[in-house]
């Protein structure tokens, strides 16, 4: 009997070791993320090269380069020296816009989309248009050339605009309504 108790005690002592960590079968080094970053950089460079090629085919048009990563030109620029206001955070703008391919084929024709009111940086709007509206003055019409990451990106608009599609947007800014807090600050 002692032998069995000793054997049982030995068994209990040997089975009470601390658990060992289990390591994953495969390890991810982050190379997928790095590859994705490189692919996106290449795609953006290709889109920008293509947009520059299209701009080169229109030498009579004066294209401006935005610091936000897109290009634009004025269809109708305000020459009124009193009209210097551009929209700021919270201002409500009233505008119309149409969207076409970079080559000029209509996607959403003029008048197909309703006139829109938008509170600057307080509502949802695709990145490029949100940034482009801040460059405009009342009464101006501007055509913007957006690479896909400034437009509808990877998902498109899930209707007529496909994924990773650079676009052109022709925008007319009708009115800027200052946010009530901005009007008070301007009067002081």
């Amino acid at each position: 009997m002692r032998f069995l108790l000793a054997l049982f005690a030995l068994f209990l002592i040997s089975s009470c070791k601390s658990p060992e960590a289990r390591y994953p079968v495969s390890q991810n080094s982050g190379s997928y993320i790095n590859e994705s970053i490189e692919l996106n950089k290449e795609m953006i460079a290709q889109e920008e090269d293509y947009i520059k090629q299209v701009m080169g085919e229109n030498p009579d048009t004066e294209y401006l380069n935005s610091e936000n990563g897109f290009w634009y030109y004025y269809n109708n620029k305000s020459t009124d020296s009193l009209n210097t206001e551009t929209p700021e955070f919270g201002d409500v703008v009233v505008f119309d816009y149409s969207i076409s391919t970079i080559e000029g084929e209509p996607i959403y024709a003029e008048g197909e989309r309703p006139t829109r009111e938008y509170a600057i940086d307080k509502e949802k709007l695709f990145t490029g248009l949100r940034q482009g509206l801040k460059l405009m003055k009342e009464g101006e019409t501007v055509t913007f050339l957006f690479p896909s990451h400034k437009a509808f990106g990877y998902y498109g608009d899930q209707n007529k605009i496909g994924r990773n599609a650079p676009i052109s947007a022709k925008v007319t800014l009708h009115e800027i309504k200052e946010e009530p807090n901005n009007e008070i600050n301007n009067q002081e």
Side-chain angles (χ1 to χ4, degrees), residues 9 43-44 58 63 77 92 127 130 137 152 158 185 188:
M43 183 185 69
I44 290 169
N58 299 305
Y63 292 95
K77 186 173 183 171
V92 175
T127 305
R130 187 173 63 237
K137 299 173 188 160
F152 293 92
Q158 300 182 356
N185 292 339
E188 293 178 0

Side-chain angles (χ1 to χ4, degrees), residues 63-169:
Y63 292 95
L64 302 169
N65 188 358
S66 164
E67 64 185 33
N68 294 308
F70 57 85
W71 295 265
Y72 63 102
Y73 64 89
Y74 287 92
N75 302 81
N76 178 26
K77 186 173 183 171
S78 175
T79 56
D80 183 1
S81 61
L82 299 176
N83 185 13
T84 60
E85 296 293 319
T86 56
E88 296 177 6
F89 177 82
D91 291 345
V92 175
V93 294
V94 180
F95 67 98
D96 289 312
Y97 71 106
S98 61
I99 297 177
S100 62
T101 64
I102 291 295
E103 299 84 11
E105 296 175 34
I107 298 173
Y108 293 104
E110 288 187 43
E112 189 173 342
R113 301 184 82 103
T115 298
R116 175 131 188 230
E117 284 194 9
Y118 166 71
I120 297 291
D121 293 335
K122 288 188 170 186
E123 297 177 41
K124 246 182 143 177
L125 193 63
F126 70 89
T127 305
L129 187 53
R130 187 173 63 237
Q131 294 168 337
L133 283 167
K134 294 177 192 175
L135 301 173
M136 299 178 68
K137 299 173 188 160
E138 279 187 7
E140 292 184 331
T141 301
V142 177
T143 299
F144 297 97
L145 305 175
F146 298 120
S148 65
H149 67 281
K150 289 292 180 179
F152 293 92
Y154 181 76
Y155 294 104
D157 74 343
Q158 300 182 356
N159 190 10
K160 292 184 178 183
I161 300 172
R163 59 194 247 176
N164 297 325
I167 61 168
S168 171

